[in-house]
Amino acid sequence: METLFYAQPYNLDAVGFQFQTMEQYEDRQSRCRDSFGQVVEEFQLQFIDGEAIDAALFEALSIGQSTIGAFIDLIDKWSDGDKLAVIIAVGECGYSFDIAKDDPSDFDVNMYHDQNLKELAEQFVDEGLFGDIPERLSFYLDYDAIARDLAHDYTETTIAGQQLVYRMA
């Protein structure tokens, strides 16, 4: 799916334009004039259509004129895991990130897909994180209480329609 953006001029006497590539952006931006014939230089960029995860990344990184080129270059290069790590670190946890020089692997994020905290508690018990629990006692475990304890270190979120539990390591 091709990603579609819109450049909305701050100048109210000008009309914006759609673009998909930096070449289109630069060409249309250089030809954009207001109703008085003046060159329009400042735009608010908007994500119009594309993958939901790319829209979430665009929002988390607050993409603007100075970062749109790097964003367009990287959305096809980064894996969904890289994108999620940046969205979580920057958009959810407030870390800073320079899209032109930083790398998603700089963030150490533990992610558990399609789970909530109670399901993660059950997974951790099954994996033996709490030691060897005999099957006859497993029926007495309070997974809700374990989930509440996990909430001190883990957070539930939904990104691009995908439910996640994560922890910044």
Coordinates of all heavy atoms in Angstrom, one line a residue, residues 5-11 16-17 19 25 40-48 58 63-65:
F5 N 0.4 11.4 1.9 CA 0.5 12.5 2.8 C -0.1 13.7 2.2 O -0.4 13.8 1.0 CB 2.0 12.8 3.1 CG 2.8 11.7 3.6 CD1 3.6 10.9 2.7 CD2 2.9 11.3 4.9 CE1 4.4 9.9 3.1 CE2 3.6 10.2 5.3 CZ 4.4 9.5 4.4
Y6 N -0.4 14.7 3.1 CA -1.0 16.0 2.6 C -0.2 17.1 3.3 O 0.1 17.0 4.5 CB -2.5 16.1 3.0 CG -3.1 17.3 2.5 CD1 -3.5 17.4 1.1 CD2 -3.4 18.4 3.3 CE1 -4.0 18.5 0.6 CE2 -4.0 19.5 2.8 CZ -4.3 19.6 1.4 OH -4.9 20.7 0.9
A7 N 0.2 18.1 2.5 CA 0.9 19.3 3.0 C -0.1 20.4 3.1 O -0.6 20.9 2.0 CB 2.1 19.6 2.1
Q8 N -0.5 20.8 4.3 CA -1.4 21.8 4.5 C -0.7 23.1 4.8 O 0.0 23.2 5.8 CB -2.4 21.5 5.7 CG -3.3 22.6 6.1 CD -4.3 22.9 5.1 OE1 -5.0 22.0 4.5 NE2 -4.5 24.2 4.7
P9 N -0.8 24.1 3.9 CA -0.1 25.4 4.2 C -0.6 26.1 5.4 O -1.8 26.1 5.7 CB -0.4 26.2 2.9 CG -0.9 25.3 1.9 CD -1.5 24.2 2.7
Y10 N 0.3 26.7 6.2 CA -0.1 27.6 7.3 C -0.7 28.8 6.8 O -1.5 29.5 7.4 CB 1.1 27.9 8.2 CG 1.5 26.7 9.1 CD1 2.7 26.0 8.9 CD2 0.7 26.2 10.1 CE1 3.1 25.0 9.6 CE2 1.1 25.2 10.9 CZ 2.3 24.5 10.7 OH 2.6 23.5 11.4
N11 N -0.3 29.2 5.6 CA -0.9 30.4 4.9 C -2.3 30.1 4.5 O -2.5 29.2 3.6 CB 0.0 30.8 3.7 CG -0.4 32.0 3.0 OD1 -1.6 32.4 3.0 ND2 0.5 32.7 2.4
G16 N -3.2 23.4 -0.3 CA -2.2 22.3 -0.1 C -2.2 21.3 -1.2 O -2.9 21.4 -2.2
F17 N -1.4 20.2 -0.9 CA -1.3 19.2 -2.0 C -1.0 17.9 -1.3 O -0.5 17.8 -0.2 CB -0.1 19.6 -2.9 CG 1.2 19.9 -2.2 CD1 2.1 18.8 -2.0 CD2 1.5 21.1 -1.8 CE1 3.3 19.1 -1.3 CE2 2.7 21.4 -1.2 CZ 3.6 20.4 -1.0
F19 N 1.0 14.1 -1.6 CA 2.3 13.6 -2.1 C 2.6 12.2 -1.5 O 2.0 11.8 -0.5 CB 3.5 14.5 -1.9 CG 3.8 14.7 -0.4 CD1 4.8 14.0 0.2 CD2 3.1 15.6 0.4 CE1 5.1 14.2 1.5 CE2 3.4 15.8 1.7 CZ 4.4 15.1 2.3
Y25 N 6.9 15.9 -3.1 CA 6.8 16.9 -2.1 C 7.6 18.2 -2.5 O 7.1 19.3 -2.5 CB 7.3 16.4 -0.8 CG 7.3 17.5 0.3 CD1 6.2 18.0 0.9 CD2 8.6 18.1 0.6 CE1 6.2 19.1 1.8 CE2 8.6 19.2 1.6 CZ 7.5 19.6 2.1 OH 7.5 20.6 3.0
V40 N 4.9 29.7 -0.8 CA 4.5 29.2 0.5 C 5.6 28.3 1.0 O 6.1 27.4 0.2 CB 3.1 28.4 0.4 CG1 2.8 27.8 1.7 CG2 2.0 29.3 -0.1
E41 N 6.1 28.6 2.2 CA 7.2 27.8 2.7 C 6.9 26.9 3.9 O 7.6 26.0 4.1 CB 8.3 28.8 3.1 CG 8.8 29.6 2.0 CD 9.9 30.7 2.4 OE1 10.1 30.9 3.6 OE2 10.5 31.3 1.5
E42 N 5.9 27.2 4.6 CA 5.6 26.4 5.8 C 4.3 25.6 5.7 O 3.3 26.1 5.3 CB 5.5 27.3 7.0 CG 6.8 28.0 7.4 CD 6.7 28.9 8.6 OE1 5.6 29.1 9.1 OE2 7.8 29.3 9.1
F43 N 4.4 24.3 6.0 CA 3.3 23.4 5.9 C 3.2 22.5 7.1 O 4.2 22.2 7.8 CB 3.5 22.4 4.7 CG 3.6 23.1 3.4 CD1 4.8 23.6 2.9 CD2 2.5 23.3 2.6 CE1 4.9 24.2 1.7 CE2 2.6 23.9 1.4 CZ 3.8 24.4 0.9
Q44 N 2.0 22.2 7.4 CA 1.7 21.1 8.4 C 1.5 19.9 7.6 O 0.7 19.8 6.7 CB 0.4 21.4 9.2 CG 0.1 20.3 10.2 CD -1.3 20.4 10.7 OE1 -2.2 21.0 10.1 NE2 -1.6 19.7 11.8
L45 N 2.2 18.8 8.0 CA 2.1 17.6 7.2 C 1.2 16.6 7.9 O 1.2 16.5 9.2 CB 3.5 16.9 7.1 CG 4.6 17.8 6.4 CD1 5.9 17.0 6.2 CD2 4.1 18.3 5.0
Q46 N 0.4 15.9 7.1 CA -0.6 15.0 7.6 C -0.5 13.7 7.0 O -0.2 13.6 5.8 CB -2.0 15.6 7.4 CG -2.3 16.9 8.0 CD -3.5 17.6 7.5 OE1 -4.3 17.1 6.7 NE2 -3.8 18.8 7.9
F47 N -0.7 12.6 7.7 CA -0.7 11.3 7.2 C -2.1 11.0 6.8 O -3.0 11.0 7.6 CB -0.3 10.3 8.3 CG -0.1 8.9 7.8 CD1 1.2 8.4 7.6 CD2 -1.1 8.0 7.7 CE1 1.4 7.1 7.1 CE2 -0.9 6.7 7.2 CZ 0.3 6.3 7.0
I48 N -2.3 10.7 5.5 CA -3.7 10.6 4.9 C -4.1 9.1 4.8 O -5.1 8.7 5.2 CB -3.8 11.3 3.6 CG1 -3.5 12.8 3.7 CG2 -5.2 11.1 2.9 CD1 -4.4 13.5 4.7
F58 N 4.2 7.9 12.5 CA 4.1 9.3 12.0 C 3.7 10.2 13.2 O 4.3 11.3 13.4 CB 3.2 9.5 10.8 CG 3.1 10.8 10.2 CD1 3.9 11.1 9.1 CD2 2.2 11.8 10.7 CE1 3.8 12.4 8.5 CE2 2.1 13.0 10.1 CZ 2.9 13.3 9.0
I63 N 6.1 14.0 12.9 CA 6.8 14.3 11.6 C 6.4 15.6 11.1 O 5.2 16.0 11.0 CB 6.5 13.2 10.6 CG1 7.0 11.8 11.1 CG2 7.1 13.5 9.2 CD1 8.5 11.8 11.3
G64 N 7.4 16.4 10.6 CA 7.2 17.7 10.1 C 8.1 17.8 8.8 O 8.7 16.9 8.3
Q65 N 8.2 19.1 8.3 CA 9.0 19.3 7.1 C 10.4 18.9 7.2 O 11.0 18.4 6.2 CB 8.9 20.8 6.7 CG 7.5 21.2 6.2 CD 7.5 22.7 5.9 OE1 7.0 23.5 6.6 NE2 8.1 23.1 4.7

